[in-house]
PDB file of all heavy atoms in Angstrom:
ATOM      1  N   ALA A 250     -85.832 160.580 -27.078  1.00 97.00           N
ATOM      2  CA  ALA A 250     -86.089 159.229 -26.585  1.00 97.00           C
ATOM      3  C   ALA A 250     -85.308 158.168 -27.366  1.00 97.00           C
ATOM      4  O   ALA A 250     -85.196 157.027 -26.923  1.00 97.00           O
ATOM      5  CB  ALA A 250     -87.593 158.943 -26.645  1.00 97.00           C
ATOM      6  N   ALA A 251     -84.748 158.521 -28.511  1.00 98.00           N
ATOM      7  CA  ALA A 251     -83.940 157.580 -29.301  1.00 98.00           C
ATOM      8  C   ALA A 251     -82.491 157.626 -28.806  1.00 98.00           C
ATOM      9  O   ALA A 251     -82.087 158.602 -28.195  1.00 98.00           O
ATOM     10  CB  ALA A 251     -83.987 157.979 -30.777  1.00 98.00           C
ATOM     11  N   PRO A 252     -81.693 156.557 -29.114  1.00 98.00           N
ATOM     12  CA  PRO A 252     -80.256 156.652 -28.819  1.00 98.00           C
ATOM     13  C   PRO A 252     -79.640 157.797 -29.635  1.00 98.00           C
ATOM     14  O   PRO A 252     -80.063 158.038 -30.771  1.00 98.00           O
ATOM     15  CB  PRO A 252     -79.694 155.299 -29.256  1.00 98.00           C
ATOM     16  CG  PRO A 252     -80.773 154.615 -30.019  1.00 98.00           C
ATOM     17  CD  PRO A 252     -82.073 155.273 -29.726  1.00 98.00           C
ATOM     18  N   THR A 253     -78.678 158.491 -29.042  1.00 98.00           N
ATOM     19  CA  THR A 253     -78.114 159.669 -29.711  1.00 98.00           C
ATOM     20  C   THR A 253     -76.638 159.472 -30.045  1.00 98.00           C
ATOM     21  O   THR A 253     -75.919 158.752 -29.362  1.00 98.00           O
ATOM     22  CB  THR A 253     -78.214 160.923 -28.815  1.00 98.00           C
ATOM     23  OG1 THR A 253     -77.550 160.655 -27.588  1.00 98.00           O
ATOM     24  CG2 THR A 253     -79.653 161.312 -28.547  1.00 98.00           C
ATOM     25  N   VAL A 254     -76.223 160.119 -31.147  1.00 98.00           N
ATOM     26  CA  VAL A 254     -74.802 160.317 -31.450  1.00 98.00           C
ATOM     27  C   VAL A 254     -74.649 161.826 -31.589  1.00 98.00           C
ATOM     28  O   VAL A 254     -75.355 162.459 -32.380  1.00 98.00           O
ATOM     29  CB  VAL A 254     -74.399 159.581 -32.752  1.00 98.00           C
ATOM     30  CG1 VAL A 254     -73.006 160.007 -33.195  1.00 98.00           C
ATOM     31  CG2 VAL A 254     -74.457 158.067 -32.543  1.00 98.00           C
ATOM     32  N   LEU A 255     -73.742 162.400 -30.793  1.00 98.00           N
ATOM     33  CA  LEU A 255     -73.617 163.858 -30.765  1.00 98.00           C
ATOM     34  C   LEU A 255     -72.568 164.333 -31.757  1.00 98.00           C
ATOM     35  O   LEU A 255     -71.562 163.670 -31.979  1.00 98.00           O
ATOM     36  CB  LEU A 255     -73.231 164.317 -29.356  1.00 98.00           C
ATOM     37  CG  LEU A 255     -74.150 163.845 -28.231  1.00 98.00           C
ATOM     38  CD1 LEU A 255     -73.673 164.397 -26.887  1.00 98.00           C
ATOM     39  CD2 LEU A 255     -75.594 164.276 -28.488  1.00 98.00           C
ATOM     40  N   TYR A 256     -72.826 165.514 -32.350  1.00 98.00           N
ATOM     41  CA  TYR A 256     -71.778 166.093 -33.218  1.00 98.00           C
ATOM     42  C   TYR A 256     -71.523 167.558 -32.897  1.00 98.00           C
ATOM     43  O   TYR A 256     -71.377 168.378 -33.773  1.00 98.00           O
ATOM     44  CB  TYR A 256     -72.093 165.847 -34.692  1.00 98.00           C
ATOM     45  CG  TYR A 256     -73.102 166.740 -35.370  1.00 98.00           C
ATOM     46  CD1 TYR A 256     -72.668 167.798 -36.184  1.00 98.00           C
ATOM     47  CD2 TYR A 256     -74.464 166.545 -35.226  1.00 98.00           C
ATOM     48  CE1 TYR A 256     -73.577 168.617 -36.842  1.00 98.00           C
ATOM     49  CE2 TYR A 256     -75.373 167.363 -35.871  1.00 98.00           C
ATOM     50  CZ  TYR A 256     -74.926 168.399 -36.673  1.00 98.00           C
ATOM     51  OH  TYR A 256     -75.824 169.215 -37.313  1.00 98.00           O
ATOM     52  N   GLY A 257     -71.394 167.855 -31.614  1.00 97.00           N
ATOM     53  CA  GLY A 257     -71.013 169.213 -31.222  1.00 97.00           C
ATOM     54  C   GLY A 257     -72.142 169.991 -30.603  1.00 97.00           C
ATOM     55  O   GLY A 257     -73.199 169.442 -30.277  1.00 97.00           O
ATOM     56  N   SER A 258     -71.893 171.288 -30.435  1.00 97.00           N
ATOM     57  CA  SER A 258     -72.861 172.177 -29.807  1.00 97.00           C
ATOM     58  C   SER A 258     -73.564 173.006 -30.869  1.00 97.00           C
ATOM     59  O   SER A 258     -72.927 173.468 -31.820  1.00 97.00           O
ATOM     60  CB  SER A 258     -72.125 173.094 -28.821  1.00 97.00           C
ATOM     61  OG  SER A 258     -72.912 174.232 -28.548  1.00 97.00           O
ATOM     62  N   GLU A 259     -74.877 173.220 -30.686  1.00 96.00           N
ATOM     63  CA  GLU A 259     -75.645 174.009 -31.655  1.00 96.00           C
ATOM     64  C   GLU A 259     -75.074 175.419 -31.789  1.00 96.00           C
ATOM     65  O   GLU A 259     -75.116 176.031 -32.853  1.00 96.00           O
ATOM     66  CB  GLU A 259     -77.120 174.074 -31.229  1.00 96.00           C
ATOM     67  CG  GLU A 259     -77.965 174.883 -32.216  1.00 96.00           C
ATOM     68  CD  GLU A 259     -79.459 174.595 -32.108  1.00 96.00           C
ATOM     69  OE1 GLU A 259     -79.913 174.230 -31.014  1.00 96.00           O
ATOM     70  OE2 GLU A 259     -80.141 174.740 -33.139  1.00 96.00           O
ATOM     71  N   ALA A 260     -74.497 175.922 -30.710  1.00 94.00           N
ATOM     72  CA  ALA A 260     -74.010 177.303 -30.687  1.00 94.00           C
ATOM     73  C   ALA A 260     -72.592 177.442 -31.234  1.00 94.00           C
ATOM     74  O   ALA A 260     -72.069 178.542 -31.347  1.00 94.00           O
ATOM     75  CB  ALA A 260     -74.054 177.818 -29.244  1.00 94.00           C
ATOM     76  N   ASP A 261     -71.944 176.320 -31.605  1.00 96.00           N
ATOM     77  CA  ASP A 261     -70.519 176.362 -31.924  1.00 96.00           C
ATOM     78  C   ASP A 261     -70.213 175.538 -33.181  1.00 96.00           C
ATOM     79  O   ASP A 261     -70.011 174.320 -33.119  1.00 96.00           O
ATOM     80  CB  ASP A 261     -69.743 175.826 -30.703  1.00 96.00           C
ATOM     81  CG  ASP A 261     -68.248 175.795 -30.927  1.00 96.00           C
ATOM     82  OD1 ASP A 261     -67.775 176.262 -31.984  1.00 96.00           O
ATOM     83  OD2 ASP A 261     -67.541 175.270 -30.040  1.00 96.00           O
TER      84      ASP A 261
END
Side-chain angles (χ1 to χ4, degrees):
T253 57
V254 169
L255 305 181
Y256 80 100
S258 160
E259 180 161 28
D261 179 5

